[in-house]
Amino acid sequence: MRRREMEYAIKVWRQKDAKDKGRFEVYLIKNISEDTSFLEMLDRLNDQLIRSGAPSGPVAFDHDCREGICGACSLYINGRAHGPDHDVTTCQLYMRNFKDGTTITIEPWRSRGFPVIKDLIVDRQAFDKILQAGGFISVNTGAAPDAHTLLIPKHKVEESLDASSCIGCGACVATCKNGSAMLFVAARVSALACLPQGEEERINRAKAMVAKMDELGFGACTNTGACQIECPKGISISHIARLNREFLLAKFGD
């Protein structure tokens, strides 16, 4: 069966560096198969720009695993984080999700916490700094126990696994009208708070990570739920409720 080939007008954000004001540029790209991935389409576009000697050069964008694991490919496409499909990262998005002949608008994440480096690449070191503020499990647990000797309720395990599926892509921040990183922080806190291994430092961890999040310029959470809808891993906002409880416990414990 012959695959349908399509053409698009690609309206993409171009910004030379962090100090540049930036602007949109539009490029026409043709003969794109409906089975082409979104990042493969961008590769084709860049090849076209290089061959034609475009003044702005190829479009800079982040990518790594291209398997929906690392979160590096994050783009804001037609007004949605990671594009129009559900529960996927940008690298898992395919051109069959776009109608032939339409204009596709591509932007970087828009957040004070994620300054633009170039074109579609943003600096997401803020997430690393939040994780560093949370620290790690430092309690000496001795030799690893047998798996069945430390009993953990099934629902707690499932909650922890749901939280730990976060890939740190930043879709929650880009989607939130306040640019809040609460879902990311909540997922990291909740992943350990649900397990005995995280018990020893759970209170200080929540307080330190929230403080660092605020310091880095992320906005406040107003519980609109947009972050949960656009999260490519479908992480629940119920973890934000747990983060709030952990934070309040830390405050009252002072």
Side-chain angles (χ1 to χ4, degrees):
M1 183 177 179
R2 191 167 181 267
R3 292 182 175 86
R4 188 162 58 103
E5 292 190 339
M6 301 177 286
E7 64 177 58
Y8 303 96
I10 307 299
K11 183 180 179 181
V12 62
W13 184 257
R14 305 305 307 266
Q15 186 170 336
K16 185 171 65 173
D17 52 40
K19 296 180 180 179
D20 185 29
K21 186 177 180 181
R23 76 282 178 198
F24 280 106
E25 291 187 3
V26 181
Y27 308 105
L28 182 66
I29 186 167
K30 299 181 179 181
N31 302 321
I32 300 296
S33 167
E34 60 185 356
D35 294 330
T36 301
S37 76
F38 197 85
L39 294 192
E40 288 172 338
M41 181 276 294
L42 286 180
D43 289 337
R44 290 271 303 275
L45 174 62
N46 278 342
D47 184 62
Q48 176 178 307
L49 293 175
I50 292 169
R51 290 175 181 274
S52 65
S56 300
V59 179
F61 65 96
D62 264 332
H63 63 94
D64 191 2
C65 73
R66 299 203 178 198
E67 294 179 350
I69 298 171
C70 70
C73 61
S74 309
L75 297 175
Y76 206 69
I77 304 164
N78 285 351
R80 290 188 62 181
H82 294 298
D85 209 350
H86 297 284
D87 301 326
V88 298
T89 53
T90 300
C91 65
Q92 296 173 302
L93 183 67
Y94 286 85
M95 299 311 295
R96 54 179 169 267
N97 289 283
F98 303 92
K99 292 182 179 179
D100 187 16
T102 59
T103 298
I104 302 174
T105 303
I106 312 171
E107 302 173 74
W109 281 171
R110 303 293 190 181
S111 168
R112 285 180 58 194
F114 295 149
V116 175
I117 297 174
K118 183 178 181 180
D119 293 343
L120 303 176
I121 300 176
V122 299
D123 185 350
R124 290 185 294 174
Q125 289 186 75
F127 272 7
D128 295 329
K129 292 175 182 177
I130 292 172
L131 291 177
Q132 289 166 6
F136 50 88
I137 298 173
S138 59
V139 62
N140 183 7
T141 59
D146 291 335
H148 65 282
T149 60
L150 194 61
L151 299 179
I152 306 172
K154 184 175 182 293
H155 72 278
K156 287 291 184 183
V157 173
E158 290 176 343
E159 288 178 28
S160 179
L161 288 174
D162 176 62
S164 59
S165 66
C166 172
I167 58 175
C169 67
C172 51
V173 177
T175 299
C176 178
K177 65 179 183 179
N178 304 320
S180 174
M182 280 290 280
L183 188 62
F184 168 76
V185 176
R188 299 304 190 181
V189 167
S190 197
L192 289 174
C194 291
L195 301 177
Q197 293 89 339
E199 183 68 28
E200 187 73 19
E201 297 161 321
R202 58 184 290 195
I203 302 303
N204 289 334
R205 180 179 295 111
K207 184 166 64 172
M209 292 180 77
V210 169
K212 180 59 70 173
M213 174 183 68
D214 292 340
E215 176 192 323
L216 293 170
F218 291 102
C221 174
T222 48
N223 295 310
T224 60
C227 54
Q228 175 181 275
I229 294 172
E230 297 296 355
C231 174
K233 299 303 177 182
I235 295 173
S236 171
I237 58 173
S238 63
H239 295 295
I240 295 178
R242 175 175 287 105
L243 172 60
N244 288 333
R245 290 195 297 270
E246 300 286 317
F247 183 75
L248 289 174
L249 282 172
K251 279 292 186 182
F252 288 132
D254 288 345

